[in-house]
């Protein structure tokens, strides 16, 4: 169930009123506890709906309806409390302070990534959900804080959409571009000459902007640029681990989701909410010590247990395509160069970074 009995009882108190059915003179309804436990087991185990039908002695259509209704109820019950984006500059600054404390990256307010989630071929959809990798999918775009908790998500884009435009065309991307999320304005930072904006960190699927920092592209780049890429990869690894926890803990993502698009979206929304709920309230059971990546005093990475789980069970989540050929704005380039110079300065360097980058050459994480 991925949670303690106490967490399940609390979750039931939140979700139960939304899935309760009235008794009739002809039959007693399936209890709210059984509806919720069936749905959680389905998400956690990754078993088919047919298998759940056998286990719970219910018709397959009944199981399908329960899963869709309960997943939507989990979203409705939890998203405002456990998936609420920061709404004030103070909240964004708290996230930035935690990224600086844990990952030595200044003014970072989140790490961002996107995944194709494989689904069965939807009926009468043409090529809307058919992506460049050659399978049907919906897109999950997400931002997380420094503690592997999702802060912003965009769920359900067509798999066929141009990957580089998924963020740009989403409500989340438009809000970031127009700066309507309350992210603080640029402020001075000790060791960097110009005022430093607050920004997200991502990989090469995103364009370089003042509010989005990405690695220097190419293999034959300068050592200072490789240092920047290494430092950015340390901060960006948080979202990689967040997706890894999600995939490892919810077996439904170990294979293509065999359900309608509407149900697949409800499943993804429920899993994201449950992830945040359990990370914030029951982390010792949901994500125990050693489950995520860690590093020693020399920067050497010890891989988290989630990687072994995903390697054994498989994953229906696939990276979206890298961005090619987009020109960077001068302001965004200046921000990246300022950060690069800070990371090689006495004030901003890490003791092991030079040896680490030189020993591995072009760093790829």
């Amino acid at each position: 169930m991925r949670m303690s009995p106490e967490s399940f009882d609390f979750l039931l108190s939140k979700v139960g009123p939304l899935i309760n059915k009235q008794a009739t003179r002809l039959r007693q309804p399936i209890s709210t506890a059984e509806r919720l436990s069936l749905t959680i087991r389905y998400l956690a185990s990754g078993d088919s709906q047919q298998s759940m039908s056998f286990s719970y002695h219910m018709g397959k259509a009944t199981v399908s309806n329960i899963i869709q209704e309960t997943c939507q109820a989990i979203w409705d019950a939890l998203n405002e409390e456990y998936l609420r984006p920061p709404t004030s500059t103070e909240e964004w600054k708290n996230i930035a302070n935690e990224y600086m404390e844990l990952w030595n990256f200044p003014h970072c307010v989140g790490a961002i990534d996107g995944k194709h989630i494989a689904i069965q071929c939807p009926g009468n959809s043409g090529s809307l959900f058919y992506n460049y990798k050659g399978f049907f999918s919906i897109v999950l775009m997400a931002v997380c804080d420094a503690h592997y908790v999702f802060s912003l998500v965009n769920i359900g884009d067509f798999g066929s959409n141009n990957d580089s435009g998924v963020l740009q065309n989403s409500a989340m991307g438009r809000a970031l571009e127009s700066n309507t999320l309350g992210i603080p304005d640029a402020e001075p930072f000790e060791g960097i000459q110009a005022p430093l904006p607050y920004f997200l960190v991502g990989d090469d699927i995103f364009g370089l902007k003042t509010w989005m920092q990405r690695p220097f592209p190419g293999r034959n780049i300068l050592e200072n640029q490789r240092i920047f890429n290494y430092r950015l990869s340390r901060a960006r690894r948080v979202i990689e681990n967040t997706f890894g926890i999600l995939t490892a803990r919810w077996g439904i993502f170990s294979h293509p989701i065999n359900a309608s698009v509407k149900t697949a979206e409800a499943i993804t929304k429920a899993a994201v909410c449950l992830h945040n709920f359990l990370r914030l309230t029951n982390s010792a059971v949901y994500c125990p010590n050693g489950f995520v990546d860690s590093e020693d005093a020399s920067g050497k990475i010890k891989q988290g247990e989630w990687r072994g789980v995903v390697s054994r069970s498989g994953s229906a989540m696939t990276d979206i395509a890298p961005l090619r050929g987009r020109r960077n704005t001068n302001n965004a380039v200046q921000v990246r160069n300022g950060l690069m110079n800070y990371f090689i300065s006495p004030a901003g360097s890490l003791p092991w970074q030079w040896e680490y980058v030189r020993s591995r050459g072009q760093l790829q994480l």
Side-chain angles (χ1 to χ4, degrees):
M1 298 292 283
R2 307 300 187 227
M3 65 187 76
S4 67
E6 293 77 15
S7 290
F8 179 84
D9 289 341
F10 178 79
L11 182 62
L12 181 61
S13 72
K14 304 283 271 187
V15 177
L18 302 180
I19 58 175
N20 186 47
K21 304 295 182 182
Q22 294 296 320
T24 70
R25 289 183 296 175
L26 298 178
R27 60 188 299 181
Q28 289 294 318
I30 299 169
S31 69
T32 56
E34 192 168 10
R35 289 170 179 272
L36 182 60
S37 68
L38 182 154
T39 302
I40 298 296
R41 283 193 59 186
Y42 171 73
L43 297 177
S45 68
D47 291 344
S48 67
Q49 292 185 15
Q50 183 68 63
S51 174
M52 303 305 296
S53 174
F54 290 142
S55 298
Y56 281 80
H57 305 287
M58 299 178 190
K60 186 177 178 182
T62 301
V63 168
S64 179
N65 290 334
I66 287 174
I67 289 170
Q68 182 176 325
E69 290 177 3
T70 307
C71 283
Q72 185 61 48
I74 290 170
W75 169 265
D76 292 339
L78 299 183
N79 84 89
E80 290 189 5
E81 183 174 357
Y82 295 98
L83 193 56
R84 184 182 63 84
T87 56
S88 67
T89 57
E90 289 75 17
E91 289 179 304
W92 287 111
K93 286 182 180 181
N94 287 339
I95 294 175
N97 291 337
E98 289 170 346
Y99 266 100
M100 186 62 187
E101 179 182 352
L102 296 173
W103 305 108
N104 312 104
F105 212 98
H107 282 202
C108 175
V109 293
I112 185 170
D113 201 1
K115 298 289 185 181
H116 285 285
I117 299 177
I119 61 175
Q120 70 172 1
C121 175
N124 302 316
S125 65
S127 59
L128 280 176
F129 295 92
Y130 195 72
N131 64 46
Y132 78 104
K133 290 275 192 176
F135 60 89
F136 294 90
S137 66
I138 58 174
V139 177
L140 168 60
M141 187 76 65
V143 176
C144 73
D145 66 15
H147 297 286
Y148 315 104
V149 174
F150 291 110
S151 52
L152 296 168
V153 295
N154 187 79
I155 299 169
D157 244 317
F158 299 134
S160 64
N161 282 356
N162 184 298
D163 288 330
S164 62
V166 169
L167 176 62
Q168 180 181 349
N169 297 326
S170 68
M172 181 171 71
R174 291 191 295 270
L176 288 166
E177 187 68 52
S178 60
N179 194 23
T180 58
L181 293 174
I183 295 176
D185 294 330
E187 293 181 345
F189 188 86
E190 185 176 357
I192 298 179
Q193 292 184 345
L196 183 65
Y198 288 83
F199 49 78
L200 304 175
V201 293
D203 60 13
D204 57 1
I205 69 175
F206 302 106
L208 181 68
K209 298 177 180 290
T210 54
W211 54 267
M212 174 74 75
Q213 288 299 302
R214 57 169 280 177
F216 286 97
R219 295 184 176 275
N220 299 317
I221 59 176
L222 300 175
E223 187 171 62
N224 291 352
Q225 295 172 328
R226 296 207 306 271
I227 291 291
F228 173 87
N229 285 2
Y230 166 58
R231 295 292 295 274
L232 184 140
S233 74
R234 292 181 74 243
R236 194 190 64 79
R237 197 164 65 239
V238 181
I239 188 65
E240 179 187 0
N241 276 261
T242 304
F243 274 122
I245 298 166
L246 184 72
T247 307
R249 281 311 193 197
W250 305 108
I252 190 65
F253 298 120
S254 65
H255 50 74
I257 298 175
N258 188 16
S260 68
V261 172
K262 181 179 180 181
T263 300
E265 291 181 6
I267 286 169
T268 305
K269 290 160 65 176
V272 167
C273 279
L274 288 168
H275 169 91
N276 276 16
F277 166 67
L278 294 172
R279 274 293 298 163
L280 293 168
T281 65
N282 200 194
S283 188
V285 173
Y286 181 66
C287 186
N289 290 336
F291 202 70
V292 298
D293 292 349
S294 59
E295 59 183 23
D296 61 20
S298 65
K300 184 178 179 181
I301 300 169
K302 180 180 179 181
Q303 293 192 341
E305 294 174 8
W306 70 262
R307 294 182 182 274
V309 175
V310 173
S311 177
R312 291 189 298 270
S313 61
S315 174
M317 290 193 183
T318 305
D319 293 336
I320 66 178
L323 179 65
R324 305 295 183 191
R326 179 174 293 180
R327 299 185 63 180
N328 303 321
T329 65
N330 289 334
N331 288 342
V333 171
Q334 290 173 6
V335 172
R336 183 164 66 181
N337 288 339
L339 286 165
M340 177 188 69
N341 292 331
Y342 170 74
F343 290 146
I344 62 174
S345 72
S349 63
L350 297 176
W352 66 82
Q353 66 184 26
W354 300 99
E355 181 180 356
Y356 192 87
V357 169
R358 288 167 184 168
S359 66
R360 299 191 61 175
Q362 174 68 32
L363 186 71
Q364 297 288 338
L365 287 182

